Short mmCIF file of all heavy atoms in Angstrom, two decimals:
data_model
loop_
_atom_site.label_atom_id
_atom_site.label_comp_id
_atom_site.label_asym_id
_atom_site.label_seq_id
_atom_site.Cartn_x
_atom_site.Cartn_y
_atom_site.Cartn_z
N MET A 1 -55.99 54.27 -1.12
CA MET A 1 -54.53 54.49 -1.09
C MET A 1 -53.84 53.39 -0.29
O MET A 1 -54.08 53.24 0.88
CB MET A 1 -54.23 55.85 -0.45
CG MET A 1 -54.69 57.04 -1.30
SD MET A 1 -53.92 57.06 -2.93
CE MET A 1 -54.69 58.53 -3.62
N THR A 2 -53.00 52.66 -0.97
CA THR A 2 -52.32 51.57 -0.29
C THR A 2 -50.81 51.73 -0.36
O THR A 2 -50.06 50.81 -0.13
CB THR A 2 -52.71 50.22 -0.91
OG1 THR A 2 -52.41 50.25 -2.29
CG2 THR A 2 -54.18 49.92 -0.71
N ASP A 3 -50.38 52.96 -0.75
CA ASP A 3 -48.94 53.17 -0.92
C ASP A 3 -48.35 53.94 0.26
O ASP A 3 -47.61 54.88 0.10
CB ASP A 3 -48.67 53.89 -2.24
CG ASP A 3 -49.52 55.14 -2.38
OD1 ASP A 3 -50.30 55.41 -1.46
OD2 ASP A 3 -49.36 55.83 -3.37
N GLN A 4 -48.73 53.56 1.47
CA GLN A 4 -48.24 54.25 2.65
C GLN A 4 -46.73 54.07 2.82
O GLN A 4 -46.07 54.87 3.48
CB GLN A 4 -48.96 53.73 3.89
CG GLN A 4 -50.43 54.09 3.90
CD GLN A 4 -51.14 53.54 5.11
OE1 GLN A 4 -50.58 52.73 5.85
NE2 GLN A 4 -52.36 53.97 5.34
N ASN A 5 -46.22 52.99 2.22
CA ASN A 5 -44.79 52.73 2.35
C ASN A 5 -43.98 53.39 1.24
O ASN A 5 -42.77 53.31 1.22
CB ASN A 5 -44.53 51.23 2.33
CG ASN A 5 -45.11 50.57 3.55
OD1 ASN A 5 -45.14 51.17 4.63
ND2 ASN A 5 -45.59 49.34 3.40
N ASN A 6 -44.68 54.06 0.34
CA ASN A 6 -44.00 54.75 -0.75
C ASN A 6 -43.62 56.16 -0.31
O ASN A 6 -44.49 56.97 -0.02
CB ASN A 6 -44.94 54.80 -1.96
CG ASN A 6 -44.26 55.46 -3.15
OD1 ASN A 6 -43.12 55.95 -3.03
ND2 ASN A 6 -44.94 55.50 -4.27
N PRO A 7 -42.33 56.43 -0.24
CA PRO A 7 -41.88 57.77 0.22
C PRO A 7 -42.49 58.88 -0.61
O PRO A 7 -42.73 59.97 -0.11
CB PRO A 7 -40.36 57.72 0.03
CG PRO A 7 -40.03 56.27 0.08
CD PRO A 7 -41.22 55.56 -0.54
N ALA A 8 -42.74 58.62 -1.89
CA ALA A 8 -43.29 59.65 -2.77
C ALA A 8 -44.68 60.07 -2.31
O ALA A 8 -45.12 61.18 -2.55
CB ALA A 8 -43.34 59.15 -4.20
N ALA A 9 -45.38 59.16 -1.62
CA ALA A 9 -46.73 59.47 -1.17
C ALA A 9 -46.72 60.50 -0.06
O ALA A 9 -47.74 61.06 0.29
CB ALA A 9 -47.42 58.20 -0.69
N ARG A 10 -45.59 60.77 0.51
CA ARG A 10 -45.51 61.72 1.61
C ARG A 10 -45.25 63.14 1.13
O ARG A 10 -45.11 64.04 1.94
CB ARG A 10 -44.41 61.29 2.59
CG ARG A 10 -44.79 60.02 3.34
CD ARG A 10 -43.71 59.59 4.31
NE ARG A 10 -44.13 58.47 5.14
CZ ARG A 10 -44.77 58.61 6.31
NH1 ARG A 10 -45.05 59.81 6.76
NH2 ARG A 10 -45.13 57.57 7.00
N VAL A 11 -45.15 63.29 -0.20
CA VAL A 11 -44.99 64.63 -0.75
C VAL A 11 -46.37 65.21 -1.00
O VAL A 11 -47.21 64.58 -1.61
CB VAL A 11 -44.17 64.59 -2.05
CG1 VAL A 11 -44.06 66.00 -2.65
CG2 VAL A 11 -42.79 64.01 -1.77
N TYR A 12 -46.60 66.42 -0.52
CA TYR A 12 -47.90 67.04 -0.70
C TYR A 12 -47.71 68.54 -0.83
O TYR A 12 -46.62 69.07 -0.62
CB TYR A 12 -48.81 66.70 0.48
CG TYR A 12 -48.36 67.31 1.78
CD1 TYR A 12 -48.99 68.44 2.28
CD2 TYR A 12 -47.30 66.77 2.47
CE1 TYR A 12 -48.58 69.01 3.46
CE2 TYR A 12 -46.87 67.35 3.66
CZ TYR A 12 -47.52 68.47 4.15
OH TYR A 12 -47.11 69.04 5.32
N ALA A 13 -48.79 69.23 -1.16
CA ALA A 13 -48.71 70.68 -1.35
C ALA A 13 -49.07 71.39 -0.06
O ALA A 13 -50.08 71.09 0.57
CB ALA A 13 -49.65 71.10 -2.46
N CYS A 14 -48.25 72.35 0.31
CA CYS A 14 -48.53 73.16 1.47
C CYS A 14 -49.83 73.92 1.23
O CYS A 14 -50.01 74.54 0.18
CB CYS A 14 -47.39 74.14 1.70
SG CYS A 14 -47.78 75.47 2.86
N PRO A 15 -50.78 73.89 2.17
CA PRO A 15 -52.05 74.60 2.00
C PRO A 15 -51.87 76.10 1.88
O PRO A 15 -52.75 76.80 1.38
CB PRO A 15 -52.83 74.25 3.27
CG PRO A 15 -52.17 73.03 3.81
CD PRO A 15 -50.72 73.14 3.41
N GLY A 16 -50.74 76.61 2.35
CA GLY A 16 -50.51 78.04 2.31
C GLY A 16 -49.92 78.52 1.01
O GLY A 16 -50.49 79.36 0.32
N CYS A 17 -48.77 77.97 0.64
CA CYS A 17 -48.06 78.49 -0.53
C CYS A 17 -48.08 77.49 -1.69
O CYS A 17 -47.54 77.77 -2.74
CB CYS A 17 -46.62 78.81 -0.16
SG CYS A 17 -45.66 77.39 0.38
N LYS A 18 -48.71 76.33 -1.49
CA LYS A 18 -48.85 75.32 -2.55
C LYS A 18 -47.52 74.71 -2.96
O LYS A 18 -47.43 74.09 -4.00
CB LYS A 18 -49.54 75.92 -3.78
CG LYS A 18 -50.82 76.65 -3.46
CD LYS A 18 -51.82 75.76 -2.75
CE LYS A 18 -53.09 76.53 -2.46
NZ LYS A 18 -54.03 75.75 -1.64
N THR A 19 -46.49 74.93 -2.15
CA THR A 19 -45.20 74.34 -2.48
C THR A 19 -45.22 72.86 -2.12
O THR A 19 -45.76 72.47 -1.09
CB THR A 19 -44.09 75.02 -1.66
OG1 THR A 19 -44.02 76.39 -2.03
CG2 THR A 19 -42.73 74.37 -1.92
N SER A 20 -44.68 72.05 -3.00
CA SER A 20 -44.60 70.62 -2.72
C SER A 20 -43.56 70.38 -1.64
O SER A 20 -42.41 70.78 -1.77
CB SER A 20 -44.22 69.86 -3.99
OG SER A 20 -45.26 69.94 -4.94
N ILE A 21 -44.00 69.77 -0.57
CA ILE A 21 -43.09 69.50 0.54
C ILE A 21 -43.26 68.06 0.98
O ILE A 21 -44.27 67.42 0.69
CB ILE A 21 -43.36 70.44 1.73
CG1 ILE A 21 -44.84 70.39 2.12
CG2 ILE A 21 -42.96 71.87 1.39
CD1 ILE A 21 -45.16 71.21 3.33
N VAL A 22 -42.29 67.57 1.67
CA VAL A 22 -42.34 66.20 2.17
C VAL A 22 -42.92 66.22 3.58
O VAL A 22 -42.55 67.04 4.42
CB VAL A 22 -40.92 65.59 2.20
CG1 VAL A 22 -40.97 64.17 2.78
CG2 VAL A 22 -40.32 65.58 0.79
N TRP A 23 -43.87 65.34 3.80
CA TRP A 23 -44.50 65.26 5.11
C TRP A 23 -43.46 64.94 6.18
O TRP A 23 -42.68 64.01 6.07
CB TRP A 23 -45.57 64.18 5.11
CG TRP A 23 -46.23 64.04 6.45
CD1 TRP A 23 -45.91 63.15 7.42
CD2 TRP A 23 -47.29 64.82 6.96
NE1 TRP A 23 -46.72 63.35 8.51
CE2 TRP A 23 -47.57 64.37 8.25
CE3 TRP A 23 -48.05 65.89 6.43
CZ2 TRP A 23 -48.58 64.94 9.05
CZ3 TRP A 23 -49.04 66.44 7.22
CH2 TRP A 23 -49.29 65.98 8.49
N ASP A 24 -43.46 65.75 7.21
CA ASP A 24 -42.53 65.54 8.31
C ASP A 24 -43.33 65.57 9.61
O ASP A 24 -43.84 66.62 10.01
CB ASP A 24 -41.46 66.63 8.31
CG ASP A 24 -40.45 66.42 9.42
OD1 ASP A 24 -40.61 65.45 10.19
OD2 ASP A 24 -39.51 67.23 9.51
N SER A 25 -43.46 64.43 10.23
CA SER A 25 -44.29 64.35 11.44
C SER A 25 -43.71 65.20 12.55
O SER A 25 -44.40 65.53 13.51
CB SER A 25 -44.41 62.90 11.89
OG SER A 25 -43.13 62.37 12.18
N ALA A 26 -42.45 65.60 12.41
CA ALA A 26 -41.81 66.44 13.42
C ALA A 26 -41.99 67.92 13.13
O ALA A 26 -41.58 68.76 13.91
CB ALA A 26 -40.32 66.11 13.51
N ASN A 27 -42.62 68.22 11.99
CA ASN A 27 -42.83 69.61 11.63
C ASN A 27 -43.99 70.19 12.44
O ASN A 27 -45.14 69.78 12.27
CB ASN A 27 -43.13 69.69 10.12
CG ASN A 27 -43.47 71.10 9.69
OD1 ASN A 27 -43.31 72.05 10.45
ND2 ASN A 27 -43.95 71.24 8.47
N PRO A 28 -43.74 71.13 13.34
CA PRO A 28 -44.79 71.66 14.19
C PRO A 28 -45.80 72.49 13.42
O PRO A 28 -46.88 72.77 13.92
CB PRO A 28 -44.02 72.53 15.19
CG PRO A 28 -42.77 72.93 14.48
CD PRO A 28 -42.44 71.76 13.58
N ALA A 29 -45.46 72.88 12.21
CA ALA A 29 -46.35 73.72 11.41
C ALA A 29 -47.20 72.90 10.46
O ALA A 29 -48.01 73.46 9.72
CB ALA A 29 -45.55 74.76 10.63
N LYS A 30 -47.03 71.58 10.47
CA LYS A 30 -47.77 70.75 9.52
C LYS A 30 -49.26 70.97 9.66
O LYS A 30 -49.72 71.21 10.76
CB LYS A 30 -47.40 69.28 9.70
CG LYS A 30 -47.82 68.66 11.04
CD LYS A 30 -47.41 67.21 11.09
CE LYS A 30 -47.80 66.54 12.38
NZ LYS A 30 -47.14 67.09 13.55
N PRO A 31 -50.06 70.96 8.60
CA PRO A 31 -49.66 70.52 7.26
C PRO A 31 -48.98 71.62 6.45
O PRO A 31 -48.81 71.45 5.25
CB PRO A 31 -50.97 70.11 6.63
CG PRO A 31 -51.96 71.07 7.23
CD PRO A 31 -51.47 71.29 8.65
N PHE A 32 -48.64 72.72 7.07
CA PHE A 32 -47.98 73.78 6.33
C PHE A 32 -46.48 73.51 6.26
O PHE A 32 -45.94 72.74 7.06
CB PHE A 32 -48.24 75.13 6.98
CG PHE A 32 -49.70 75.48 7.04
CD1 PHE A 32 -50.47 75.13 8.13
CD2 PHE A 32 -50.31 76.12 5.97
CE1 PHE A 32 -51.82 75.42 8.17
CE2 PHE A 32 -51.65 76.43 6.01
CZ PHE A 32 -52.41 76.07 7.11
N CYS A 33 -45.80 74.21 5.33
CA CYS A 33 -44.39 73.95 5.15
C CYS A 33 -43.59 74.63 6.26
O CYS A 33 -42.47 74.24 6.56
CB CYS A 33 -43.94 74.44 3.78
SG CYS A 33 -44.04 76.23 3.56
N SER A 34 -44.17 75.66 6.86
CA SER A 34 -43.44 76.39 7.88
C SER A 34 -44.40 77.15 8.79
O SER A 34 -45.59 77.29 8.47
CB SER A 34 -42.47 77.38 7.22
OG SER A 34 -43.21 78.37 6.53
N GLU A 35 -43.90 77.63 9.91
CA GLU A 35 -44.72 78.43 10.80
C GLU A 35 -45.21 79.68 10.09
O GLU A 35 -46.30 80.19 10.35
CB GLU A 35 -43.90 78.83 12.04
CG GLU A 35 -43.70 77.67 13.01
CD GLU A 35 -44.99 77.35 13.78
OE1 GLU A 35 -45.90 78.18 13.75
OE2 GLU A 35 -45.05 76.27 14.38
N LYS A 36 -44.37 80.19 9.19
CA LYS A 36 -44.74 81.40 8.45
C LYS A 36 -46.02 81.18 7.66
O LYS A 36 -46.95 81.98 7.71
CB LYS A 36 -43.58 81.80 7.51
CG LYS A 36 -43.84 83.08 6.74
CD LYS A 36 -42.66 83.38 5.83
CE LYS A 36 -42.92 84.63 4.97
NZ LYS A 36 -41.80 84.89 4.06
N CYS A 37 -46.08 80.07 6.92
CA CYS A 37 -47.25 79.77 6.13
C CYS A 37 -48.44 79.52 7.06
O CYS A 37 -49.56 79.94 6.79
CB CYS A 37 -47.02 78.55 5.25
SG CYS A 37 -46.48 78.97 3.58
N LYS A 38 -48.20 78.83 8.14
CA LYS A 38 -49.27 78.51 9.07
C LYS A 38 -49.90 79.80 9.60
O LYS A 38 -51.11 79.95 9.65
CB LYS A 38 -48.70 77.69 10.23
CG LYS A 38 -49.75 77.22 11.22
CD LYS A 38 -49.07 76.39 12.28
CE LYS A 38 -50.08 75.87 13.30
NZ LYS A 38 -49.44 75.07 14.34
N ASN A 39 -49.07 80.76 9.98
CA ASN A 39 -49.56 82.01 10.51
C ASN A 39 -50.28 82.83 9.45
O ASN A 39 -51.29 83.46 9.73
CB ASN A 39 -48.41 82.81 11.11
CG ASN A 39 -47.86 82.14 12.36
OD1 ASN A 39 -48.57 81.40 13.02
ND2 ASN A 39 -46.61 82.42 12.68
N GLN A 40 -49.73 82.84 8.24
CA GLN A 40 -50.36 83.60 7.17
C GLN A 40 -51.74 83.05 6.87
O GLN A 40 -52.67 83.80 6.61
CB GLN A 40 -49.49 83.55 5.91
CG GLN A 40 -48.26 84.45 6.04
CD GLN A 40 -47.43 84.44 4.76
OE1 GLN A 40 -47.60 83.58 3.92
NE2 GLN A 40 -46.54 85.39 4.65
N ASP A 41 -51.86 81.73 6.89
CA ASP A 41 -53.14 81.13 6.60
C ASP A 41 -54.14 81.50 7.69
O ASP A 41 -55.29 81.80 7.43
CB ASP A 41 -52.99 79.61 6.52
CG ASP A 41 -54.29 78.97 6.05
OD1 ASP A 41 -54.60 79.09 4.87
OD2 ASP A 41 -54.99 78.39 6.89
N PHE A 42 -53.70 81.50 8.92
CA PHE A 42 -54.59 81.84 10.03
C PHE A 42 -55.05 83.28 9.92
O PHE A 42 -56.22 83.59 10.12
CB PHE A 42 -53.87 81.63 11.36
CG PHE A 42 -54.72 82.04 12.54
CD1 PHE A 42 -55.73 81.21 13.00
CD2 PHE A 42 -54.52 83.26 13.16
CE1 PHE A 42 -56.52 81.60 14.07
CE2 PHE A 42 -55.30 83.65 14.23
CZ PHE A 42 -56.31 82.82 14.69
N ILE A 43 -54.13 84.18 9.54
CA ILE A 43 -54.48 85.59 9.39
C ILE A 43 -55.52 85.75 8.28
O ILE A 43 -56.50 86.47 8.42
CB ILE A 43 -53.22 86.42 9.10
CG1 ILE A 43 -52.31 86.42 10.33
CG2 ILE A 43 -53.59 87.84 8.70
CD1 ILE A 43 -50.93 87.00 10.07
N ALA A 44 -55.29 85.07 7.16
CA ALA A 44 -56.23 85.15 6.05
C ALA A 44 -57.59 84.62 6.49
O ALA A 44 -58.63 85.19 6.15
CB ALA A 44 -55.71 84.34 4.87
N TRP A 45 -57.57 83.55 7.24
CA TRP A 45 -58.82 82.96 7.71
C TRP A 45 -59.56 83.93 8.62
O TRP A 45 -60.77 84.12 8.54
CB TRP A 45 -58.50 81.66 8.47
CG TRP A 45 -59.71 80.86 8.81
CD1 TRP A 45 -60.28 79.88 8.05
CD2 TRP A 45 -60.49 80.95 10.00
NE1 TRP A 45 -61.37 79.37 8.71
CE2 TRP A 45 -61.51 80.00 9.90
CE3 TRP A 45 -60.40 81.74 11.15
CZ2 TRP A 45 -62.47 79.82 10.89
CZ3 TRP A 45 -61.36 81.57 12.15
CH2 TRP A 45 -62.38 80.62 12.03
N ALA A 46 -58.81 84.58 9.50
CA ALA A 46 -59.42 85.47 10.48
C ALA A 46 -59.94 86.74 9.82
O ALA A 46 -60.91 87.34 10.28
CB ALA A 46 -58.41 85.83 11.56
N ASN A 47 -59.30 87.18 8.74
CA ASN A 47 -59.71 88.42 8.09
C ASN A 47 -60.93 88.23 7.21
O ASN A 47 -61.67 89.17 6.96
CB ASN A 47 -58.56 88.97 7.24
CG ASN A 47 -57.48 89.60 8.12
OD1 ASN A 47 -57.74 89.93 9.27
ND2 ASN A 47 -56.29 89.77 7.58
N GLU A 48 -61.15 87.02 6.76
CA GLU A 48 -62.29 86.78 5.90
C GLU A 48 -63.52 86.45 6.74
O GLU A 48 -63.42 86.06 7.89
CB GLU A 48 -61.99 85.62 4.94
CG GLU A 48 -60.89 85.97 3.94
CD GLU A 48 -60.56 84.78 3.05
OE1 GLU A 48 -61.34 83.82 3.03
OE2 GLU A 48 -59.50 84.81 2.41
N ASP A 49 -64.66 86.63 6.14
CA ASP A 49 -65.90 86.33 6.86
C ASP A 49 -66.20 84.84 6.73
O ASP A 49 -66.66 84.38 5.70
CB ASP A 49 -67.04 87.14 6.27
CG ASP A 49 -68.32 86.90 7.05
OD1 ASP A 49 -68.25 86.22 8.10
OD2 ASP A 49 -69.37 87.40 6.62
N HIS A 50 -65.84 84.11 7.77
CA HIS A 50 -66.06 82.67 7.73
C HIS A 50 -67.29 82.27 8.53
O HIS A 50 -67.43 81.13 8.97
CB HIS A 50 -64.83 81.93 8.27
CG HIS A 50 -63.78 81.74 7.21
ND1 HIS A 50 -63.01 82.77 6.75
CD2 HIS A 50 -63.40 80.65 6.51
CE1 HIS A 50 -62.17 82.30 5.83
NE2 HIS A 50 -62.40 81.04 5.66
N ALA A 51 -68.17 83.22 8.75
CA ALA A 51 -69.39 82.89 9.48
C ALA A 51 -70.18 81.85 8.69
O ALA A 51 -70.19 81.87 7.46
CB ALA A 51 -70.24 84.13 9.67
N ILE A 52 -70.81 80.97 9.38
CA ILE A 52 -71.56 79.91 8.71
C ILE A 52 -72.79 80.50 8.03
O ILE A 52 -73.60 81.15 8.70
CB ILE A 52 -72.00 78.84 9.74
CG1 ILE A 52 -70.77 78.25 10.43
CG2 ILE A 52 -72.82 77.75 9.04
CD1 ILE A 52 -71.12 77.33 11.58
N PRO A 53 -72.91 80.33 6.72
CA PRO A 53 -74.09 80.86 6.02
C PRO A 53 -75.37 80.30 6.62
O PRO A 53 -75.47 79.10 6.86
CB PRO A 53 -73.89 80.38 4.58
CG PRO A 53 -72.42 80.12 4.46
CD PRO A 53 -71.98 79.65 5.82
N GLY A 54 -76.31 81.14 6.84
CA GLY A 54 -77.58 80.67 7.38
C GLY A 54 -77.66 80.75 8.89
O GLY A 54 -78.71 80.55 9.47
N SER A 55 -76.52 81.04 9.52
CA SER A 55 -76.54 81.10 10.97
C SER A 55 -77.52 82.13 11.51
O SER A 55 -78.28 81.86 12.42
CB SER A 55 -75.13 81.37 11.49
OG SER A 55 -75.03 81.13 12.86
N PRO A 56 -77.54 83.35 10.93
CA PRO A 56 -78.50 84.36 11.40
C PRO A 56 -79.94 83.89 11.22
O PRO A 56 -80.80 84.22 12.02
CB PRO A 56 -78.20 85.57 10.51
CG PRO A 56 -76.79 85.39 10.08
CD PRO A 56 -76.63 83.89 9.94
N VAL A 57 -80.17 83.12 10.15
CA VAL A 57 -81.52 82.62 9.91
C VAL A 57 -81.93 81.69 11.04
O VAL A 57 -83.05 81.74 11.54
CB VAL A 57 -81.58 81.88 8.57
CG1 VAL A 57 -82.95 81.25 8.37
CG2 VAL A 57 -81.25 82.84 7.44
N TYR A 58 -81.00 80.87 11.45
CA TYR A 58 -81.30 79.97 12.56
C TYR A 58 -81.69 80.76 13.80
O TYR A 58 -82.62 80.43 14.50
CB TYR A 58 -80.08 79.11 12.89
CG TYR A 58 -80.07 77.78 12.17
CD1 TYR A 58 -79.11 77.49 11.22
CD2 TYR A 58 -81.03 76.83 12.46
CE1 TYR A 58 -79.10 76.28 10.56
CE2 TYR A 58 -81.04 75.62 11.83
CZ TYR A 58 -80.08 75.34 10.86
OH TYR A 58 -80.08 74.14 10.22
N GLU A 59 -80.96 81.85 14.03
CA GLU A 59 -81.27 82.67 15.20
C GLU A 59 -82.65 83.29 15.06
O GLU A 59 -83.40 83.38 16.03
CB GLU A 59 -80.21 83.76 15.36
CG GLU A 59 -78.85 83.17 15.75
CD GLU A 59 -77.81 84.25 15.91
OE1 GLU A 59 -78.17 85.44 15.87
OE2 GLU A 59 -76.63 83.90 16.08
N ASP A 60 -83.00 83.70 13.85
CA ASP A 60 -84.32 84.28 13.64
C ASP A 60 -85.40 83.25 13.93
O ASP A 60 -86.40 83.54 14.57
CB ASP A 60 -84.46 84.77 12.19
CG ASP A 60 -83.70 86.06 11.97
OD1 ASP A 60 -83.31 86.67 12.99
OD2 ASP A 60 -83.51 86.45 10.82
N ILE A 61 -85.17 82.04 13.43
CA ILE A 61 -86.17 80.98 13.66
C ILE A 61 -86.33 80.73 15.15
O ILE A 61 -87.45 80.63 15.67
CB ILE A 61 -85.74 79.69 12.93
CG1 ILE A 61 -85.81 79.90 11.42
CG2 ILE A 61 -86.62 78.53 13.36
CD1 ILE A 61 -85.23 78.75 10.62
N LEU A 62 -85.21 80.65 15.85
CA LEU A 62 -85.28 80.40 17.28
C LEU A 62 -85.98 81.55 18.00
O LEU A 62 -86.78 81.34 18.90
CB LEU A 62 -83.87 80.20 17.84
CG LEU A 62 -83.17 78.91 17.40
CD1 LEU A 62 -81.73 78.90 17.87
CD2 LEU A 62 -83.91 77.69 17.97
N SER A 63 -85.68 82.79 17.59
CA SER A 63 -86.28 83.95 18.23
C SER A 63 -87.78 83.96 18.04
O SER A 63 -88.55 84.11 18.98
CB SER A 63 -85.67 85.24 17.67
OG SER A 63 -84.30 85.28 17.98
N SER A 64 -88.22 83.77 16.78
CA SER A 64 -89.65 83.82 16.51
C SER A 64 -90.34 82.65 17.19
O SER A 64 -91.47 82.75 17.66
CB SER A 64 -89.90 83.78 15.00
OG SER A 64 -89.35 82.59 14.45
N ASP A 65 -89.63 81.53 17.28
CA ASP A 65 -90.23 80.37 17.92
C ASP A 65 -90.50 80.65 19.39
O ASP A 65 -91.55 80.33 19.94
CB ASP A 65 -89.29 79.17 17.78
CG ASP A 65 -89.98 77.87 18.19
OD1 ASP A 65 -91.08 77.61 17.68
OD2 ASP A 65 -89.40 77.14 19.02
N LEU A 66 -89.54 81.30 20.03
CA LEU A 66 -89.71 81.64 21.44
C LEU A 66 -90.86 82.63 21.62
O LEU A 66 -91.64 82.53 22.54
CB LEU A 66 -88.41 82.23 21.99
CG LEU A 66 -87.27 81.22 22.18
CD1 LEU A 66 -85.99 81.97 22.55
CD2 LEU A 66 -87.63 80.22 23.28
N GLU A 67 -90.95 83.60 20.67
CA GLU A 67 -91.99 84.61 20.78
C GLU A 67 -93.38 84.02 20.56
O GLU A 67 -94.35 84.49 21.13
CB GLU A 67 -91.74 85.71 19.74
CG GLU A 67 -90.49 86.53 20.09
CD GLU A 67 -90.13 87.48 18.96
OE1 GLU A 67 -90.86 87.52 17.95
OE2 GLU A 67 -89.11 88.17 19.09
N ASN A 68 -93.43 82.98 19.73
CA ASN A 68 -94.74 82.40 19.40
C ASN A 68 -95.23 81.45 20.48
O ASN A 68 -96.35 80.97 20.44
CB ASN A 68 -94.68 81.66 18.06
CG ASN A 68 -94.54 82.67 16.92
OD1 ASN A 68 -94.92 83.82 17.07
ND2 ASN A 68 -93.99 82.22 15.82
N HIS A 69 -94.34 81.14 21.42
CA HIS A 69 -94.79 80.24 22.47
C HIS A 69 -94.98 81.00 23.74
O HIS A 69 -94.52 80.89 24.71
CB HIS A 69 -93.81 79.09 22.63
CG HIS A 69 -93.90 78.11 21.49
ND1 HIS A 69 -93.33 78.35 20.27
CD2 HIS A 69 -94.51 76.92 21.36
CE1 HIS A 69 -93.58 77.35 19.46
NE2 HIS A 69 -94.30 76.46 20.09
ZN1 LIG B 101 -46.03 76.92 2.63
#
């Protein structure tokens, strides 16, 4: 991407509502279009199970490793 000086390149989709918005470095909610979207996304993230797949397996490996030594 070499069009950093192209104003059109600063238009992007809000991760929350997918609305096309213009990048505003002064927007405290960026990359979201608003604080509302930012908060909604966080709530959705917190309500879903975002645990890293395989994490319990790692714990099992570590546990058995400790027991075997
Ligand atoms: Zn939005």
Side-chain angles (χ1 to χ4, degrees):
M1 292 301 179
T2 57
D3 51 359
Q4 293 178 349
N5 294 327
N6 182 356
R10 291 180 173 272
V11 178
Y12 67 103
C14 166
C17 63
K18 310 302 181 186
T19 298
S20 293
I21 53 176
V22 178
W23 179 265
D24 182 358
S25 60
N27 176 9
K30 65 180 181 296
F32 299 91
C33 65
S34 65
E35 285 287 345
K36 183 180 176 182
C37 265
K38 184 178 181 181
N39 291 336
Q40 285 182 345
D41 187 74
F42 177 79
I43 292 170
W45 189 90
N47 285 341
E48 294 177 14
D49 183 7
H50 276 73
I52 301 172
S55 194
V57 175
Y58 267 114
E59 291 180 8
D60 284 347
I61 292 172
L62 291 173
S63 296
S64 60
D65 192 51
L66 288 172
E67 291 172 2
N68 288 337
H69 287 78

